[in-house]
Amino acid sequence: INASTENAEKQYVGFATLPNQVHRKSVKKGFDFTLMVAGESGMGKSTLVNSLFLTDLYKDRKLLNAEERINQTVEIIKHTVDIEEKGVKLKLTIVDTPGFGDAVNNNECWKPITDYIDQQFEQYFRDESGLNRKNIQDNRVHCCLYFIPPFGHGLRPVDVEFMKALHEKVNIIPLIAKADCLTPNEIKKLKDRIREEIDKFGIKVYQFPECDSDEDEEFKQLDKELKECTPFAVIGSNTVVEARGQRVRGRLYPWGIVEVENQSHCDFVKLRNMLIRSHMHDLKDVTCDVHYENYRAQCIQEMTSKLAQDNRMESPIPILPLSTPDVDTEKLIKMKDEELKRMQEMLNKMQQQMHEKDQ
Amino acid sequence: LPSSTAFNTHFQYRSVKQARSKNEEKRNLSLGGHVGFDSLPDQLVSKSVTQGFCFNILCVGETGIGKSTLMNTLFNTMFENEEASHYQNGVYLRPRTYDLQESNVHLKLTIVDTVGFGDQINKEDSYKPIVDYIDTQFENYLQEELKIKRSLFNYHDTRIHICLYFIAPTGHSLKSLDLVTMKKLDSKVNIIPIIAKADTISKSELHKFKIKIMSELVSNGVQIYQFPTDDEAVSEINASMNAHLPFAVVGSVEEVKVGNKTVRARQYPWGVVQVENESHCDFVKLREMLIRVNMEDLREQTHARHYELYRRCKLEEMGFKDTDPDSQPFSLQETYEAKRKEFLGDLQRKEEEMRQMFVNKVKETEAELKEKERELHDKFEQLKRMHQEEKRKVEEKRRDLEEEMNAFNRKKVAAETLSLSQPLKKDKDKKK
């Protein structure tokens, strides 16, 4: 036994500690996450955010009257908080979109939202392309929770238009809001209907990444259940009630108590686990690797096509120059072209001669 | 005697006003025995039961808010209904009429649904189809009333007696669309606002929500229906119900066993919401107010207030007044004659215009035709001339040809005669 452990020690290089090093460094650096919430007024967005992060972000907020909302435009309001848990620091930014869908005429009411997301991309693009990149602030939106009202039969035109305007800019997670107005059967029907309509209209919502094949069965089963449960039907609460001898977040009704964290009452726990405990980093990755990269590529393409039209303008950011040949190079190219042609002709002639000789 | 309101539905308000203005002196007499006219209300009742009643409900609310389910729950029956789609281009109204009977009372119930309400992205015109529908029913009644041969007692009254406005249970306040729509409807129909799907609001939230809604309605001058408190028999219950508006309702046609009873309810994992339990929701209050206590008052208000307002506006639009510039009551005859003259004058003018236009058109076309004719004529002349010219040329050529031929023949003859006289020499010469 001694010999094998000695051998093992000799063969042990030590890079197996890398994950620990990553962990240590990341704890030191801290994390940041930007979450956007969107949906009509009264869908319980603020209550849900408070329930998710177990804090009260919305003290002293003013709600508008119906009269004030007739011609309301959509605003973007950011709340940033620093929270810490077991030594891990998180800078959490919640982006609110009050006024969405509240006016009588909601034509293009999502435009301020798409503009905001693009602005964050643009800012990051500039920062990334700058000379001093030490302290880049990442304000890009990593995830957008979209609240669908539970009162209807499925998606409404405004829901479809909003998601289609945003699905290539941000990870969209659709939620069924205020799910305590639906019986279990009604929830299932509505979820099926919404999934069908999302497919039908070609909306690309955030997809959970596939499990690795070497994960254990239990994990795979949980993952499967999670995916089949979308869109999550959620309930939020700002109040703590006494239920079954415990103090829990819930809603008190004359006919019973709805517990926010009871999985047979709603999907809140699934959402929290997915959003915070398992997929927060994947949401960030998809934002950086897919949405941001798409934006960047598009931006560069537009810029270079403009540059090609206007020779005097210099590129404002360092990018690999696409070949816009100057005069000398063009001459060279022409010469080489002609040479090539000549050689091709000679070759053809020789081939012909050979052909004739054969005959 | 019963309350004056019951009688007035059967008299024209206008004639009553005129009678009062004559300032008659009334004396109260005491009776020496039982005459029997205290049976008048019963006679009235039996007549109306024989006639049957008619009631029209308009349900306004977004798709899926529970309008059909509430109607089913209220009338304890399953009215046919397909689920509406969210993708209508606009709002349209769908009226359905049913014949119901309870004991010996017949009710012709019409339920009008607003399909597509609240679904469009731009809802600025959403209220229009609703207002148009209500006005059309008023117009139809007005037309019947103005007919020479009319049968009002037989007329199927489709005027909307009550508009139930379904408010979404957001818990904050009214939606902007709700405010805009109710403002457009409040002068045309009795509105009772209700909070739909109220099993999603807790008791404390509900209290705040109701207060907020009512204050928004008041501050924006929206007139909703007040349960009448002038009749002592029902004034107390009506007054208390007025304080519970808007009613927070839950509808269900499914039955759940609670204790040893089966009741209409919604079953959740955390409990059972019973529709007819007053501590769960205000359904019982709505049914009481809408159907059991104030149905007749709703019909009356529709006729006496909303319809009269429509009628007055419409007639004023058409140019009718009750008094002429000297404040003497207008004779309908005179007004009618004046209108008729005006109308005939208009007609004549229009006829003249059209005749003039026709004459002008005919002249124009005639001129065109003449022009064309002349052109054709000219062309014909030209062609004729060309033809003659050619003919002449051909004639010339023919004559030339003839001359040539003659000349040639003469030469030929001459040559022949010559050759005959000196044939050999010629030949020999030729051969050389």
Side-chain angles (χ1 to χ4, degrees):
Chain A
I1 300 172
N2 272 340
S4 62
T5 37
E6 246 191 64
N7 253 343
E9 275 180 13
K10 276 195 206 143
Q11 293 169 5
Y12 181 67
V13 180
F15 55 74
T17 62
L18 272 169
N20 295 349
Q21 297 177 34
V22 169
H23 191 268
R24 200 186 62 231
K25 274 197 172 254
S26 67
V27 168
K28 178 156 179 274
K29 196 167 139 198
F31 295 87
D32 65 271
F33 192 69
T34 305
L35 176 69
M36 177 182 269
V37 285
E40 283 183 2
S41 172
M43 289 290 110
K45 305 184 288 293
S46 324
T47 312
L48 187 74
V49 168
N50 283 344
S51 307
L52 273 173
F53 296 98
L54 294 175
T55 174
D56 192 357
L57 266 85
Y58 296 96
K59 283 203 183 85
D60 312 322
R61 122 184 120 133
K62 281 207 166 56
L63 293 169
L64 294 182
N65 286 332
E67 196 187 354
E68 290 161 337
R69 280 192 262 143
I70 292 177
N71 291 314
Q72 189 183 22
T73 47
V74 179
E75 282 177 81
I76 307 282
I77 298 186
K78 274 173 36 172
H79 304 265
T80 307
V81 287
D82 281 315
I83 44 184
E84 187 182 320
E85 199 177 54
K86 290 199 188 141
V88 178
K89 296 195 192 70
L90 175 65
K91 182 165 91 99
L92 175 70
T93 306
I94 306 284
V95 181
D96 260 324
T97 55
F100 175 79
D102 284 344
V104 176
N105 183 352
N106 291 309
N107 262 334
E108 302 224 312
C109 60
W110 48 84
K111 200 156 184 307
I113 301 175
T114 50
D115 284 347
Y116 175 82
I117 296 177
D118 281 342
Q119 274 164 24
Q120 308 317 305
F121 279 159
E122 193 188 311
Q123 192 216 329
Y124 192 84
F125 185 29
R126 275 186 205 285
D127 289 350
E128 190 188 49
S129 318
L131 291 173
N132 186 353
R133 306 202 294 184
K134 227 169 182 203
N135 290 319
I136 302 182
Q137 256 210 343
D138 186 4
N139 290 324
R140 298 173 293 183
V141 180
H142 300 123
C143 175
C144 174
L145 297 179
Y146 185 68
F147 289 69
I148 299 169
F151 314 126
H153 298 309
L155 293 178
R156 301 161 304 160
V158 69
D159 302 326
V160 175
E161 292 300 308
F162 175 82
M163 289 199 273
K164 287 201 81 158
L166 262 78
H167 64 169
E168 289 180 337
K169 295 184 190 285
V170 72
N171 298 316
I172 298 184
I173 297 181
L175 303 173
I176 298 176
K178 296 204 164 178
D180 57 350
C181 103
L182 298 168
T183 60
N185 271 342
E186 290 168 349
I187 291 186
K188 182 168 184 309
K189 225 175 102 186
L190 187 60
K191 283 187 181 182
D192 287 342
R193 177 71 77 85
I194 292 179
R195 273 204 297 264
E196 216 180 274
E197 291 179 335
I198 285 179
D199 257 341
K200 181 170 112 176
F201 290 107
I203 299 171
K204 302 186 209 135
V205 296
Y206 172 69
Q207 300 291 327
F208 302 113
E210 293 298 327
C211 275
D212 289 328
S213 50
D214 56 353
E215 296 279 1
D216 59 43
E217 274 310 307
E218 197 193 318
F219 189 84
K220 279 196 200 164
Q221 180 64 22
L222 282 174
D223 189 65
K224 183 159 167 266
E225 276 175 25
L226 202 72
K227 287 186 186 157
E228 285 174 355
C229 213
T230 56
F232 295 133
V234 293
I235 301 171
S237 172
N238 280 330
T239 51
V240 175
V241 294
E242 178 117 5
R244 295 177 289 143
Q246 287 181 312
R247 291 182 63 75
V248 288
R249 274 204 180 223
R251 291 174 62 71
L252 183 62
Y253 289 114
W255 48 86
I257 301 176
V258 182
E259 298 161 49
V260 166
E261 295 188 24
N262 185 332
Q263 295 222 47
S264 59
H265 287 188
C266 70
D267 299 327
F268 173 82
V269 171
K270 290 196 175 76
L271 172 68
R272 182 187 57 195
N273 289 346
M274 191 272 320
L275 183 66
I276 302 177
R277 296 182 187 181
S278 47
H279 289 75
M280 196 180 241
H281 218 271
D282 184 66
L283 285 163
K284 291 183 69 169
D285 283 343
V286 175
T287 308
C288 298
D289 298 340
V290 178
H291 300 297
Y292 171 69
E293 289 300 318
N294 283 341
Y295 172 85
R296 183 176 170 279
Q298 205 185 17
C299 222
I300 293 178
Q301 257 186 325
E302 280 174 24
M303 241 193 282
T304 47
S305 67
K306 280 199 200 132
L307 281 176
Q309 289 171 5
D310 184 3
N311 284 324
R312 280 169 288 130
M313 202 173 94
E314 283 172 358
S315 167
I317 48 158
I319 47 173
L320 279 182
L322 290 179
S323 41
T324 32
D326 59 5
V327 191
D328 287 331
T329 335
E330 271 193 86
K331 264 199 211 151
L332 218 78
I333 292 175
K334 240 192 188 160
M335 270 171 39
K336 297 275 170 183
D337 256 327
E338 277 168 53
E339 242 195 276
L340 257 165
K341 251 194 227 156
R342 268 181 272 135
M343 298 183 81
Q344 187 75 10
E345 275 171 54
M346 275 176 32
L347 208 78
N348 283 347
K349 260 195 224 153
M350 286 204 283
Q351 270 190 335
Q352 241 187 344
Q353 285 175 357
M354 278 174 49
H355 197 65
E356 279 167 36
K357 273 196 189 146
D358 278 340
Q359 284 183 343
Chain B
L1 282 180
S3 65
S4 54
T5 47
F7 271 100
N8 280 344
T9 45
H10 295 273
F11 296 102
Q12 298 294 317
Y13 254 28
R14 290 157 258 155
S15 61
V16 168
K17 263 197 227 160
Q18 281 172 18
R20 288 208 194 117
S21 67
K22 281 182 189 160
N23 246 336
E24 280 175 349
E25 269 205 35
K26 287 195 291 182
R27 297 178 298 153
N28 280 332
L29 294 173
S30 51
L31 302 169
H34 180 234
V35 180
F37 57 76
D38 57 354
S39 69
L40 276 167
D42 299 320
Q43 296 176 34
L44 186 61
V45 165
S46 99
K47 176 163 179 247
S48 49
V49 167
T50 333
Q51 262 182 338
F53 295 86
C54 158
F55 196 62
N56 306 319
I57 304 179
L58 169 66
C59 291
V60 180
E62 15 179 282
T63 308
I65 199 85
K67 304 183 283 293
S68 317
T69 309
L70 187 69
M71 289 297 107
N72 289 345
T73 320
L74 264 176
F75 291 98
N76 226 338
T77 175
M78 290 295 281
F79 300 116
E80 343 99 28
N81 263 308
E82 323 100 33
E83 210 178 66
S85 130
H86 282 284
Y87 301 98
Q88 304 283 347
N89 276 336
V91 179
Y92 76 94
L93 276 80
R94 187 174 62 182
R96 294 220 174 108
T97 307
Y98 307 95
D99 276 311
L100 305 175
Q101 183 179 359
E102 201 173 54
S103 3
N104 61 340
V105 179
H106 288 265
L107 178 68
K108 208 183 192 74
L109 177 72
T110 301
I111 300 180
V112 186
D113 208 356
T114 50
V115 181
F117 188 76
D119 280 329
Q120 296 76 35
I121 294 182
N122 183 352
K123 296 172 266 201
E124 283 177 342
D125 291 340
S126 295
Y127 71 87
K128 285 194 189 143
I130 306 177
V131 169
D132 286 345
Y133 181 86
I134 296 175
D135 278 346
T136 310
Q137 309 320 307
F138 282 153
E139 183 65 31
N140 291 345
Y141 192 88
L142 181 65
Q143 290 298 323
E144 184 64 30
E145 218 184 30
L146 291 176
K147 272 191 190 159
I148 297 171
K149 263 198 162 173
R150 54 187 202 181
S151 54
L152 281 173
F153 65 91
N154 235 345
Y155 178 76
H156 176 207
D157 186 4
T158 55
R159 297 172 296 179
I160 300 292
H161 300 120
I162 178 67
C163 168
L164 291 175
Y165 195 95
F166 288 67
I167 298 170
T170 59
H172 288 326
S173 67
L174 285 175
K175 290 191 181 178
S176 51
L177 175 65
D178 297 338
L179 195 59
V180 165
T181 309
M182 281 201 265
K183 275 221 81 145
K184 293 282 181 193
L185 294 178
D186 69 349
S187 59
K188 294 191 177 281
V189 71
N190 301 314
I191 301 181
I192 295 182
I194 59 180
I195 300 173
K197 301 204 168 177
D199 54 355
T200 191
I201 314 183
S202 68
K203 255 208 164 81
S204 53
E205 291 167 352
L206 187 60
H207 186 63
K208 273 194 262 172
F209 192 33
K210 283 191 180 185
I211 292 179
K212 182 76 182 168
I213 293 175
M214 292 310 280
S215 82
E216 281 194 322
L217 290 175
V218 165
S219 65
N220 283 288
V222 176
Q223 303 260 8
I224 58 171
Y225 177 72
Q226 293 294 314
F227 303 119
T229 47
D230 51 359
D231 183 354
E232 307 122 26
V234 291
S235 65
E236 205 182 301
I237 184 170
N238 276 347
S240 87
M241 290 299 178
N242 273 327
H244 278 102
L245 286 171
F247 292 135
V249 293
V250 173
S252 174
V253 289
E254 274 150 30
E255 302 199 317
V256 176
K257 200 160 168 116
V258 175
N260 54 356
K261 283 198 294 175
T262 318
V263 289
R264 287 183 294 174
R266 286 174 63 74
Q267 178 140 54
Y268 290 106
W270 49 86
V272 178
V273 182
Q274 297 159 41
V275 167
E276 287 173 287
N277 184 332
E278 289 210 56
S279 60
H280 286 190
C281 72
D282 298 331
F283 172 80
V284 171
K285 297 190 173 75
L286 175 68
R287 184 179 58 194
E288 197 71 18
M289 287 292 100
L290 181 64
I291 302 180
R292 298 184 184 179
V293 177
N294 297 304
M295 207 184 225
E296 186 57 32
D297 183 70
L298 286 164
R299 282 150 42 91
E300 238 180 70
Q301 290 287 327
T302 306
H303 181 70
R305 206 154 64 95
H306 300 292
Y307 170 69
E308 286 298 316
L309 180 64
Y310 175 85
R311 180 181 170 279
R312 197 175 68 208
C313 292
K314 203 66 201 293
L315 293 181
E316 273 176 355
E317 230 179 85
M318 286 172 24
F320 292 99
K321 292 190 214 2
D322 270 345
T323 54
D324 68 14
D326 298 326
S327 288
Q328 292 295 325
F330 247 173
S331 143
L332 200 67
Q333 188 74 7
E334 280 176 36
T335 324
Y336 177 68
E337 283 299 315
K339 278 257 141 178
R340 190 158 189 273
K341 254 198 230 156
E342 204 187 305
F343 180 66
L344 283 174
D346 254 345
L347 259 180
Q348 252 185 335
R349 212 174 16 91
K350 280 211 175 114
E351 219 183 289
E352 265 309 309
E353 268 179 43
M354 283 177 72
R355 191 174 301 143
Q356 197 58 28
M357 221 171 37
F358 180 71
V359 165
N360 287 347
K361 266 241 149 95
V362 168
K363 273 203 195 138
E364 267 179 44
T365 327
E366 220 178 6
E368 268 179 45
L369 278 172
K370 276 217 176 102
E371 180 71 29
K372 286 251 159 80
E373 210 181 84
R374 200 169 47 75
E375 271 177 41
L376 271 173
H377 204 57
D378 284 343
K379 255 200 189 144
F380 178 67
E381 288 295 316
Q382 206 185 20
L383 277 171
K384 198 162 147 194
R385 261 179 277 137
M386 271 170 59
H387 181 246
Q388 283 189 350
E389 184 68 30
E390 274 196 43
K391 200 167 163 191
R392 193 177 50 79
K393 284 195 185 144
V394 169
E395 275 292 325
E396 264 189 46
K397 283 202 176 140
R398 191 164 73 84
R399 263 181 273 133
D400 285 343
L401 189 67
E402 267 190 38
E403 271 193 38
E404 267 188 54
M405 274 172 65
N406 287 345
F408 177 71
N409 279 339
R410 268 182 267 133
K411 279 197 183 151
K412 189 170 151 193
V413 166
E416 277 179 3
T417 16
L418 236 96
S419 68
L420 274 174
S421 53
Q422 295 174 19
L424 295 164
K425 264 194 187 169
K426 270 267 164 129
D427 278 331
K428 282 184 194 163
D429 280 346
K430 273 190 185 166
K431 276 184 186 165
K432 274 185 189 166

